[in-house]
Structure formats: C-alpha cells, structure tokens
Amino acid sequence: MSFFGNLSDLFKVEENKAKVSTKSQSASGGQKPKRGFKKKSKIQRPIQTQKPQPQVDTQAIVREAQAKAREIIVEAKDEAFAIKSKAELNARKTNQQLEDKQRQLNRQLDKVEFQLDQITDKEKELSKKNKQTDEFKQKLEASKTKILQKLEEVAGMTRDEANKVLLDGVEKKISQQLAQVVRQKTEEAQLEAENKAREILVDTMRHGSTNYVAEYTVSRVELPNEESKGKIIGKSGRNIHAFEKVTGVDVDLDDSPTTVRLSCFDPVRREIAKIALEKLIKDGRIQPSRIEDTVAETKQKIDKITFEAGKKLCHAVGVYNLPNGLIQQLGRFKYRFSYGQNMIQHTLEETKIGIKIAHELKADVNVVRLGCLLHDVGKVSEEVEGSHVELGVKIAKKYNMPKNVVDCIAQHHEDEPFSGPEQMIVYIADSISGARPGARYENHEEYVERLESLEKIATSYDGVKQAYAVQAGREIRILLDPEKTKDDDVEILSLKIRDQIKEEMTYPGTVTVTVAREKKSKQIAE
C-alpha cells in the first residue's frame, strides 16, 4: 500500500469515528425542545420506548488509527529515502558525464595548442629558409656576373659578340647539309608533282568513264531522336548485346547523337542488321525476343533478294543449270564491293570480256564462262580462315564444278601456274575489268594505316631486325637479329605476333606471319 493510499484509509477511519460520536450524543440528550403550545388531540397515542444503541470501543479505533499512522510514516520515510537515493545516483552519473566531457575538451584543446605550436614553428622555419634562399640567389647572381665578366675579359669580346661568332660557325658547318636537304626536297617536290599530275589525270579519266561507289565496311542508320539510343542499348545493355550477337555486327553509338554505325566486313550481314534495326526503331518495341524475330524475318527477306539477284546474274551471262546454293552465293555479290567496284557489275563485265576473248581464240567458251562467273565467289564465303581464292576453290568443289573451272578460280591471281588457255583468259578478263579507269577505288589512308600497323606490331618485339608488310597487307615478313635471338624464338615469336594481330587489328581475309632468322659469315682467304 502506498503512502497516499494509507492516508485515505486513515481519513475514512476518522470520519467513521465522528459519525459514531454524533449518534451517541443524540441518544443521550433526551427530547427536542418544543416550539409552542399545541392542541391536545382527542386520541391519545401510546408512548414509544427507544431501543438501546450498541456501544462503540473508541479507544480501539484510536489505537488502530495510530498504528496505521505509524505504518504510513514508516512507508513515507522508505519512499523518501528511495527517491533521495535515486536522485543522488542520477546526480553522480550526471557529474561523471560532465567530468568525461571536460576531460575530452581538455585533450582536444591540448591537441589544438600543440598543432598551433607546430604551425608556428614551421612558419618560422619557412621564413628562415626563404631568407636563406634569397641570400643564395643574390650570391648566385653575383657569382654569375663575375664569371661572365671574367669570360669576356679572357675572350676579349662581349656575350653578344660571342653568340654571333658561334652562330656564324654553326651556319658554315651546316651550310653543306642545308644544301643537300634543299636539293632532296626539290627532287621530292618534283616527283610528287609528277605523281599528283598522274593522279589528277587518272581521276579525270575515272570520273569521265563511270561513277564509282567507295568501299566501306560500315553502314549508318539515322535515328528519329536521341531517346532511341537508350532503347537500342536497353537495361544493362541487354538489347545491344542481343542485337550484336544475332546479327554478327558491331554497333557504334558514339558517332553522332542521332546516328548509329554498323560495322562488319560481311556486307550481307551488315545489310540485314541495317534493315532490321530500321524496323525495330520504327516499331518501337526493342527487346531481345523481338530483335531475334525481326532479324530472322529480315534474313529471310534478304535471302530471297540475293537468290533473285544471283539468278538474274546467271541468266545475264547465259548460265541456267547451277545449283540453288551456288546461285544464292552469287546473289550475295549484290551487297559486296571490291575497292568500290560492285561485284555483280564486275562479274558481269568480266564474264562478257572473257567470253568474247574465248570466241576469238577458239577456246572452251563454257569453261571460261563458268570460270569468270565463279572466280570471286570466295569473297562472299561465310568462312573466315583462308584467302578468297582458297575459299572459292572450296565452294566450287563443294558443288562438284569441273576441274577446269576450279583451276580458273585457283589461278586467276597467279597463285598457281596456268594449266591452260582458259585459265589465262579468266586472269586477263579479271585484270581488264579491275584495272580500267573508274572501275575501282582504293582508300589509300586505310591501306597505308593497315600496313604500318602490321609493321609496328612486328617491330615492337625484342630481337626483330626488320619487318615488311607485303601482298597488300596479307602477309608480314619478319627478319630476326641472329645475335639477339635463338632458333626457338622463330616459332614462339610468330605465334605471339599472330595472336596480337588477331586481337588488335581488323582486316579482311587472312594475314600470314613469316618469321626468318639467318646468320651469315663471310671470310676472305689471301
């Protein structure tokens, strides 16, 4: 029971005691006083006797109240003691926290004072060093001035006069070299002027003969807005990765804000990718599953177009019995260019030339016809390893072409000796069609850059003495220094260079890496 509960009980006991006292007084006091004379009633009422009231032990009640009061006082003292103890404990905790905070502040103040002292010391040292530096500069300038004066006294001339004499000596020394350089540059300018004149004449004849289409390995797709790039990329790049995987082309989004570049050496795949991407952009639903469906539909459409183009080419030169697979391969010429010359136009032109020559020389016209028609079929092969001559031979053998026709394909670049007049006619017709003005266009900058890159990769290895890129960049020949290398390095170095070319360069066909190490010794006996 709490202190306030005990007080409430005590008040109730006192109240009951007062009520009991009041009742006892009323019982012992007698009758109430009369207020006047009343008329006697005719009927006399019987006198009522009062019942005796029970007596109350007031002393017991007092003792009980006193006992409860003492209990209340004891409990009140206990609660007061507990409250005091709790207050003292909270006060001690608060004092301890304040003391801890004060100690932390004192430590921080000590650190700040220590750092300020260090900064002051460093400033003093820096000022001292600056003064020493200034003094050293002054001494150095003074020493320099004295040395120059002594040199002028010893040489008998001023510094400007010495500079003039020195320049005159150098000018006399290199005058001969300057003359050689001037003559060399003059000869180079004359030679370059002649080359430029030839290029201008050839360019004039080329434009006068026919138009050409430059060979590119990229196609461009225009976007309606910059937001389309985000759709092409997709979440975490999943759309662009799916598109590149399905089409086999490289997608470049950094060319311009509203242009996408598609790069691939296979023109058919590049055309499929271009048409498919244009469809996807127009549709707006770009996602991996939709990409696969669109590319598949576009591929079927392109297959039909290429088959019709191959069929039209065969009929134009008078060939009607080729297998459908071979006709499909020839139709891929529609999207293939060789140095800017469209392969269908080149093949059609070359075949007509070859047939005409075969008629004049009484050669086998059918062999020449098929040889000219199929001589570059390896350029549209889906295989990667091998030159277009080797790949063309594989395709011809796959469709059981006659041996004379296979020889025409194998020998049209003189990779093998000519086996007959028909093979020579195919070679001549190919040269005439490709060499005429306006037929082909060579991107000289890319060509030179490819050759320089090949030679740079080869010469980057220790022990390489010389490196030459030959056959239009299809082969790199490397000569090793015999003093710095071993015979085992030939095989190892060729593998390293081959792997680096695969990783860092992009090129059509193949690149042959030839590494040679040769040591010669020459002695003269007298």
Side-chain angles (χ1 to χ4, degrees), residues 286-406:
I286 304 177
Q287 52 188 1
S289 59
R290 181 65 180 165
I291 290 171
E292 293 179 359
D293 296 339
T294 304
V295 172
E297 293 174 2
T298 307
K299 189 176 185 301
Q300 292 178 357
K301 181 180 178 181
I302 294 296
D303 288 342
K304 292 180 181 179
I305 294 173
T306 54
F307 182 82
E308 291 298 325
K311 186 177 180 181
K312 183 178 179 181
L313 174 62
C314 293
H315 292 176
V317 297
V319 177
Y320 301 95
N321 57 352
L322 286 181
N324 290 339
L326 196 53
I327 294 175
Q328 185 76 42
Q329 290 280 354
L330 292 172
R332 294 167 66 90
F333 284 169
K334 178 179 178 66
Y335 303 107
R336 181 71 162 83
F337 292 83
S338 179
Y339 301 104
Q341 188 180 28
N342 183 264
M343 292 301 300
I344 284 183
Q345 298 298 329
H346 167 62
T347 303
L348 182 61
E349 183 180 90
E350 179 201 7
T351 305
K352 290 181 178 180
I353 294 171
I355 291 172
K356 185 66 175 177
I357 295 174
H359 279 296
E360 293 293 333
L361 298 178
K362 308 298 181 182
D364 192 335
V365 177
N366 291 328
V367 172
V368 173
R369 190 194 312 270
L370 287 175
C372 291
L373 181 64
L374 301 175
H375 78 290
D376 275 342
V377 71
K379 289 185 177 180
V380 291
S381 174
E382 295 181 355
E383 297 185 22
V384 178
E385 297 294 331
S387 64
H388 79 278
V389 175
E390 298 171 349
L391 298 176
V393 170
K394 288 182 181 179
I395 293 174
K397 290 181 178 179
K398 176 182 177 181
Y399 292 101
N400 298 320
M401 291 292 104
K403 187 177 184 306
N404 290 338
V405 176
V406 175

Side-chain angles (χ1 to χ4, degrees), residues 8-24 56-58 61-62 64-65 68:
S8 178
D9 293 340
L10 180 60
F11 292 148
K12 287 181 181 179
V13 172
E14 293 293 337
E15 183 179 356
N16 292 332
K17 182 179 177 182
K19 288 180 180 179
V20 171
S21 177
T22 304
K23 288 179 181 180
S24 63
V56 179
D57 190 358
T58 57
I61 293 172
V62 171
E64 184 181 355
K68 286 192 175 187

Side-chain angles (χ1 to χ4, degrees), residues 134-170:
D134 293 338
E135 293 176 357
F136 181 76
K137 286 181 179 179
Q138 293 176 359
K139 292 179 181 179
L140 186 61
E141 289 293 334
S143 300
K144 183 179 178 181
T145 305
K146 291 179 180 180
I147 292 171
L148 289 175
Q149 291 176 355
K150 289 182 180 180
L151 287 174
E152 290 177 356
E153 292 176 358
V154 172
M157 61 180 69
T158 62
R159 181 166 55 182
D160 294 336
E161 293 174 351
N163 290 333
K164 184 177 179 181
V165 171
L166 182 62
L167 291 174
D168 292 341
V170 172

Side-chain angles (χ1 to χ4, degrees), residues 43-76:
I43 300 173
Q44 296 292 332
R45 292 181 182 179
I47 299 172
Q48 295 178 355
T49 59
Q50 294 181 353
K51 293 181 182 180
Q53 294 294 329
Q55 295 182 356
V56 179
D57 190 358
T58 57
Q59 294 179 356
I61 293 172
V62 171
R63 285 195 299 272
E64 184 181 355
Q66 291 176 351
K68 286 192 175 187
R70 285 193 296 271
E71 290 179 0
I72 291 170
I73 292 170
V74 171
E75 290 180 0

Side-chain angles (χ1 to χ4, degrees), residues 254-315:
D254 298 331
D255 186 40
S256 70
T258 58
T259 303
V260 176
R261 291 200 316 170
L262 306 176
S263 176
C264 181
F265 277 106
D266 190 328
V268 178
R269 285 191 299 182
R270 195 169 68 246
E271 186 68 18
I272 292 172
K274 179 181 178 182
I275 296 175
L277 185 58
E278 289 175 348
K279 287 183 178 179
L280 290 168
I281 294 172
K282 187 176 181 180
D283 183 60
R285 295 175 296 170
I286 304 177
Q287 52 188 1
S289 59
R290 181 65 180 165
I291 290 171
E292 293 179 359
D293 296 339
T294 304
V295 172
E297 293 174 2
T298 307
K299 189 176 185 301
Q300 292 178 357
K301 181 180 178 181
I302 294 296
D303 288 342
K304 292 180 181 179
I305 294 173
T306 54
F307 182 82
E308 291 298 325
K311 186 177 180 181
K312 183 178 179 181
L313 174 62
C314 293
H315 292 176

Side-chain angles (χ1 to χ4, degrees), residues 8 13 46 51 68 75 117 124 128 143 148 169 184 192 259 270 293-294 304 423 432 438 462 468 478 488 496 511 515:
S8 178
V13 172
K51 293 181 182 180
K68 286 192 175 187
E75 290 180 0
D117 293 338
K124 292 179 180 179
K128 186 178 180 181
S143 300
L148 289 175
Q184 182 179 356
E192 186 177 358
T259 303
R270 195 169 68 246
D293 296 339
T294 304
K304 292 180 181 179
Q423 288 73 32
I432 292 172
D462 295 333
Y468 304 98
I478 303 161
D488 296 336
K496 289 182 179 180
V511 176
V515 181

